Amino acid sequence: MATAGTLLSHVYPIGARLNERGVLELGGCDALELAREFGTPAYVVVEDDLRTRAQAFVEAGRAAGHENLAVVYASKASACTALLRLFAQEGLWCDVASGGELHLALAAGFPAQRLLMHGNAKSREELRLALRHRLGLIVIDNLDEIQRLAGLLGGEEGDGAGGPAQGVLIRVTPDVRGDTHEKISTGQANSKFGFGMDQIGDAIQRVREIAGLELQGIHAHVGSQLLELEPFRRAAQQLAQLGVFPTWDLGGGLGVAYTAAQHPPAIEDYVGAVVGAAREYLGEHSRLLIEPGRSLTANAGVTLYTVESVKRNVSTWVAVDGGMSDNLRPMLYNAGYEAEIVDRFGGDTACVLAGKHCESGDVIVKDAHLDDPRPGDVVVTPATGAYGHAMANNYNGVPRPPVIFCSGGNARLVVRRESFDDLTFRDVI
Ligand code: LLP
């Protein structure tokens, strides 16, 4: 069994360790005490980890010698006011992919000029909102959207017209395939996102014809959870065919480690590679945008669960008080995670960490190794800080967990746990 002082792998938040009692410590807070104070399941996020990674992106841009790199946090990875406020303070931009994410980013204090709106099905209402705030950039995805923007800017509905031009990018599918799960691959020609390489010329021309829109450049996103840098390079190479633009946005996608065996590129190496490719193919002086989501938040966060039952048949089933309602990723992408009992790290009982939901597929970790798990044990799954809380749901009427920020030994609730009343709150009886 692992003992006090054992260093934890890079899958855990920066600074996470086993304290002198052999208990997992996150942001200086004892995980058992967190579970006692806030209940489980709970998302625990280490604030300093978020800041360190945000600063690493910005500093890597500087170190690579790029004068004009904007780090745009893709808020779909994890969005609550406290987290967005932190990234706003660190000087990042924010990518919103819906009116709701725009609402969250504005509530967190992001200035509109540092917001960029995405979406392949933006509604008139979402576009109207974006224009009213004159966001830094709107990324145009399709011809219908161009028409909708033209209508709004033409004063068709007395809104959006007048004022400074709205900066836009046009999204292209660069026809580059990265090695990732099919469901999170976007750069291939047959994608629901953006214009094909053969269609973008027409889109550029149409956008340029609309008074009130200022075409600043091109956007491409190859895919998500990419563990190699080559696809980013190939995307930049593809984009070079499109001409010269003041702004290029190379999307997000840098992968993270979910298990200790995974070794994704470091933030510095990723930024260095992207800046290098931009310099080589897209020109020295254009503004460069990148949109990291997962790589800013995934490893900063963990989930704490309590074991409810341990059953032995062909396998040993360790069932906890959460599951696919707080982490959909195993179910959706067959994603692998690690698990440990927070005060008995390093066990060797092979078991399946199962969720509480009414589906056989609700398994959080297929091949966990725990130290003699028993009901009441508190279990941690690391690397749940991205696309965990963001994709949480109420399946089986399970209230969504709280989000707790930890820093310097202090823990604070930043999103409260849903109550049963929240489940009936919106019902019209
Ligand atoms: N920019 C665009 C246009 C995107 O579509 C995405 C992710 C990002 C940036 C951020 O990508 P990241 O750096 O986080 O890889 N729910 C899935 C991930 C879906 C990603 C969708 N787009 C998951 O849990 O793996």
Side-chain angles (χ1 to χ4, degrees):
M1 201 208 290
T3 48
T6 304
L7 275 185
L8 299 178
S9 81
H10 57 296
V11 175
Y12 282 84
I14 297 168
R17 61 173 198 128
L18 298 183
N19 66 19
E20 29 313 312
R21 295 182 296 283
V23 183
L24 172 64
E25 191 179 275
L26 301 154
C29 299
D30 178 301
L32 275 181
E33 282 168 23
L34 290 172
R36 219 169 288 134
E37 182 175 354
F38 297 99
T40 58
Y43 300 109
V44 178
V45 177
V46 174
E47 230 175 308
D48 296 349
D49 179 303
L50 295 174
R51 282 196 198 280
T52 303
R53 287 181 215 266
Q55 289 163 7
F57 270 101
V58 174
E59 275 155 27
R62 251 179 245 137
H66 204 288
E67 320 117 32
N68 207 351
L69 173 81
V71 180
V72 186
Y73 171 57
S75 65
K76 70 202 79 185
S78 183
C80 64
T81 311
L83 184 140
L84 293 175
R85 186 179 294 138
L86 185 152
F87 285 149
Q89 287 166 354
E90 292 299 331
L92 305 195
W93 282 48
C94 182
D95 144 12
V96 299
S98 71
E101 285 183 357
L102 174 56
H103 173 77
L104 276 160
L106 290 170
F110 267 102
Q113 319 84 268
R114 280 200 268 137
L115 294 179
L116 169 152
M117 179 178 262
H118 267 297
N120 66 316
K122 300 181 193 76
S123 68
R124 190 174 292 277
E125 206 37 59
E126 287 171 326
L127 289 172
R128 193 202 309 265
L129 210 57
L131 289 174
R132 191 179 298 151
H133 287 281
R134 279 299 190 272
L135 302 190
L137 288 164
I138 298 177
V139 184
I140 293 177
D141 177 272
N142 57 71
L143 293 177
D144 298 304
E145 188 181 333
I146 298 178
Q147 234 171 14
R148 217 163 275 162
L149 281 168
L152 287 165
L153 285 164
E156 190 183 76
E157 294 166 54
D159 213 342
Q166 171 63 57
V168 296
L169 304 178
I170 303 179
R171 180 165 179 171
V172 67
T173 45
D175 203 7
V176 171
R177 181 91 169 79
D179 182 17
T180 188
H181 195 283
E182 166 199 0
K183 286 184 185 149
I184 53 175
S185 179
T186 42
Q188 70 279 13
N190 190 17
S191 163
K192 74 169 188 173
F193 298 104
F195 294 90
M197 289 293 283
D198 55 340
Q199 303 164 324
I200 189 135
D202 179 39
I204 290 173
Q205 198 181 326
R206 286 181 196 231
V207 167
R208 286 202 165 126
E209 281 163 9
I210 298 170
L213 287 186
E214 185 191 336
L215 178 62
Q216 297 192 1
I218 306 292
H219 170 282
H221 172 75
V222 175
S224 207
Q225 183 55 10
L226 298 172
L227 295 170
E228 280 161 15
L229 297 175
E230 186 49 29
F232 299 105
R233 238 191 119 65
R234 286 210 306 277
Q237 193 176 14
Q238 284 284 84
L239 295 184
Q241 299 170 33
L242 302 177
V244 177
F245 289 92
T247 299
W248 295 97
D249 182 339
L250 292 179
L254 173 61
V256 304
Y258 285 97
T259 58
Q262 288 177 311
H263 290 279
I267 289 172
E268 294 71 20
D269 294 339
Y270 160 77
V271 173
V274 169
V275 166
R279 192 171 283 140
E280 182 173 349
Y281 297 114
L282 304 174
E284 186 80 31
H285 302 295
S286 302
R287 174 170 64 163
L288 180 64
L289 272 57
I290 50 173
E291 301 172 343
R294 188 187 319 259
S295 51
L296 277 164
T297 61
N299 297 101
V302 308
T303 308
L304 299 180
Y305 299 104
T306 300
V307 175
E308 299 288 10
S309 74
V310 180
K311 180 183 294 177
R312 291 186 177 83
N313 49 29
V314 178
S315 307
T316 297
W317 298 87
V318 178
V320 295
D321 52 359
M324 61 184 286
S325 54
D326 58 75
N327 187 357
L328 260 181
R329 302 194 68 261
M331 203 52 160
L332 282 183
Y333 320 113
N334 212 11
Y337 284 86
E338 292 181 355
E340 292 284 358
I341 296 171
V342 298
D343 52 348
R344 299 199 305 282
F345 262 60
D348 58 6
T349 308
C351 47
V352 184
L353 191 75
K356 72 182 269 110
H357 295 277
C358 304
E359 295 204 26
S360 295
D362 177 32
V363 161
I364 307 167
V365 186
K366 276 188 224 144
D367 50 356
H369 286 85
L370 300 177
D371 178 30
D372 185 22
R374 300 182 286 263
D377 282 340
V378 176
V379 168
V380 60
T381 54
T384 58
Y387 304 112
H389 171 249
M391 295 200 294
N393 59 80
N394 290 128
Y395 186 37
N396 291 136
V398 174
R400 284 176 290 184
V403 181
I404 295 141
F405 267 27
C406 293
S407 175
N410 296 313
R412 65 185 172 113
L413 190 65
V414 298
V415 179
R416 68 166 170 79
R417 183 185 304 284
E418 277 181 332
S419 66
F420 287 162
D421 281 344
D422 288 323
L423 300 177
T424 45
F425 182 65
R426 286 168 296 125
D427 290 4
V428 181
I429 301 165

